[in-house]
Amino acid sequence: MEFIESTIDLTKHTGSLNIQSESHSTLEVTSSTTYSEGDTYSITTSDIHTAHAECEDTLTLIKKERVSTGSTRVYTDHPLVSGTVFETLTPEKTSEIISEFTNAPSADPVVKEYCLSLGPEDIARIAKRSCVHPMLFVKIPVMVTPDYIYRIHKWAAGAPKEEPHDHGWNFTSWIVKGAIRNTLYRKVF
């Protein structure tokens, strides 16, 4: 597999979420599922969802499509707005979370092998693109291929509940450690 360097500045990339304010009364829950270590779930651009860590130190691996699907169906009432400044991570903290990922029994073997090959300069470069999301999970873009960005997310227990939102890209989430509750909604007309 060939890996390429990303030129996307993920610490400042907010253009993928189009902010629109809609009343929560227009949504109803269609499913709410807790996914545990080793489980996967997928989100498409037509999905409206929330995700919330069910336990301390939950780790997930996100396989995100690099190209936006150009979806015109947008629903979000998310606190992430244009101009948000994200707190970036130190190389030491980035290395610590990557090590936690590589030591997890259910880590994806290809991404794990890639992470184990990273040197100090690689970690420093990745740290510059890593950040603490406003919903208090850490995003670390560890590997970029022509089609996907692989990100480690570390979730803190007790983080604020997300507001229902959608994404401008499809992605799959692997639960590496802990548990995530993913809730899907649909619009009620």
Side-chain angles (χ1 to χ4, degrees):
M1 182 179 296
E2 178 184 343
F3 303 109
I4 61 173
E5 176 62 30
S6 171
T7 57
I8 302 168
D9 183 356
L10 295 175
T11 63
K12 295 183 175 59
H13 185 65
T14 59
S16 57
L17 288 177
N18 296 316
I19 306 304
Q20 295 179 354
S21 181
E22 297 187 28
S23 167
H24 286 280
S25 64
T26 62
L27 294 179
E28 73 178 10
V29 173
T30 59
S31 68
S32 188
T33 306
T34 297
Y35 296 93
S36 300
E37 187 173 318
D39 292 340
T40 64
Y41 66 91
S42 295
I43 298 295
T44 68
T45 57
S46 63
D47 290 329
I48 301 168
H49 85 119
T50 59
H52 185 73
E54 293 272 299
C55 54
E56 191 73 29
D57 293 331
T58 295
L59 281 178
T60 57
L61 178 67
I62 307 299
K63 179 183 176 184
K64 174 189 170 296
E65 290 182 353
R66 284 195 72 182
V67 178
S68 173
T69 61
S71 171
T72 56
R73 178 179 180 215
V74 175
Y75 177 93
T76 190
D77 193 7
H78 199 284
L80 185 63
V81 294
S82 182
T84 298
V85 177
F86 296 116
E87 175 188 344
T88 57
L89 301 181
T90 65
E92 295 78 19
K93 187 63 176 175
T94 302
S95 181
E96 176 186 313
I97 294 171
I98 291 173
S99 291
E100 187 177 349
F101 169 79
T102 60
N103 289 322
S106 58
D108 177 83
V110 173
V111 179
K112 177 179 179 172
E113 180 181 339
Y114 180 74
C115 288
L116 289 170
S117 74
L118 297 170
E121 294 89 18
D122 300 316
I123 297 291
R125 176 182 41 82
I126 289 170
K128 289 179 183 175
R129 296 191 325 249
S130 301
C131 64
V132 179
H133 188 278
M135 296 310 295
L136 300 182
F137 64 87
V138 172
K139 293 182 353 179
I140 302 174
V142 291
M143 189 172 89
V144 179
T145 70
D147 298 319
Y148 299 101
I149 297 173
Y150 290 82
R151 296 191 313 215
I152 297 170
H153 287 187
K154 181 166 183 171
W155 301 73
K161 297 275 187 190
E162 286 190 320
E163 295 296 324
H165 63 281
D166 63 356
H167 294 270
W169 55 83
N170 299 325
F171 67 91
T172 300
S173 182
W174 285 274
I175 313 309
V176 176
K177 178 182 167 189
I180 293 285
R181 174 166 292 281
N182 187 63
T183 303
L184 294 172
Y185 302 83
R186 74 175 179 91
K187 286 184 179 181
V188 179
F189 298 98

